[in-house]
Amino acid sequence: MKAINISAIILLIIGLGIFMLYIFTNVFEKKYKILDCEGVYYSKLFKEPESLVYNNTEAKIGICLCEKYMKNKSPLYENEILKLYQKHKYKMIPESIIKNKGSKIDTICKYRRDVFMKMYNL
């Protein structure tokens, strides 16, 4: 009886170790959603995602929001686009062009692929 209890405890510790190894080393799918635009990125459970991966997900969402905004000109999309635009550290369109071309949101969406450009780790 004592040998069975010891064996059960050892198996439980081994099983718990395998489970913990899976949790800490596996990459999980995470979703990032703004309104009805969604992006997916992969990250470890207890680790912040790499900034490049996260920025690419935001860029994808920014492009999606602009495409939806161009269809219906909803202020909901406009607010979210402007938030993302302000958040992105790398803006490929100079602020002077945005100011001189009329509506800021329309110019951002016109150049959406340049404003919300995906970056690659070379």
Side-chain angles (χ1 to χ4, degrees):
M1 188 72 168
K2 194 173 187 180
I4 293 175
N5 288 342
I6 292 173
S7 297
I9 291 172
I10 291 172
L11 286 175
L12 181 65
I13 290 172
I14 291 172
L16 188 60
I18 292 171
F19 177 72
M20 295 300 283
L21 184 66
Y22 172 78
I23 291 293
F24 286 111
T25 61
N26 197 26
V27 176
F28 294 93
E29 177 180 282
K30 295 183 180 183
K31 294 183 180 182
Y32 181 45
K33 185 173 183 177
I34 298 177
L35 299 177
D36 54 347
C37 293
E38 184 176 288
V40 175
Y41 63 95
Y42 298 90
S43 176
K44 292 188 178 182
L45 191 61
F46 296 111
K47 185 180 176 188
E48 288 293 319
E50 292 180 37
S51 61
L52 192 63
V53 172
Y54 193 73
N55 283 341
N56 284 345
T57 304
E58 282 186 335
K60 180 180 176 183
I61 291 172
I63 291 169
C64 174
L65 289 170
C66 278
E67 289 169 352
K68 303 238 179 188
Y69 172 78
M70 297 300 272
K71 289 180 184 174
N72 64 11
K73 304 286 186 184
S74 170
L76 285 172
Y77 291 112
E78 182 176 349
N79 293 335
E80 295 300 328
I81 290 167
L82 289 174
K83 284 180 196 173
L84 270 180
Y85 176 75
Q86 293 300 322
K87 190 175 179 183
H88 272 256
K89 293 182 174 94
Y90 55 92
K91 298 175 191 132
M92 300 309 285
I93 303 298
E95 193 69 32
S96 59
I97 292 175
I98 300 284
K99 288 179 181 174
N100 294 333
K101 292 273 188 170
S103 170
K104 183 174 186 169
I105 189 70
D106 289 333
T107 307
I108 290 171
C109 286
K110 179 179 179 182
Y111 297 107
R112 64 187 170 269
R113 298 217 184 270
D114 295 324
V115 172
F116 301 111
M117 183 170 44
K118 290 186 177 184
M119 305 300 269
Y120 295 97
N121 193 5
L122 298 176

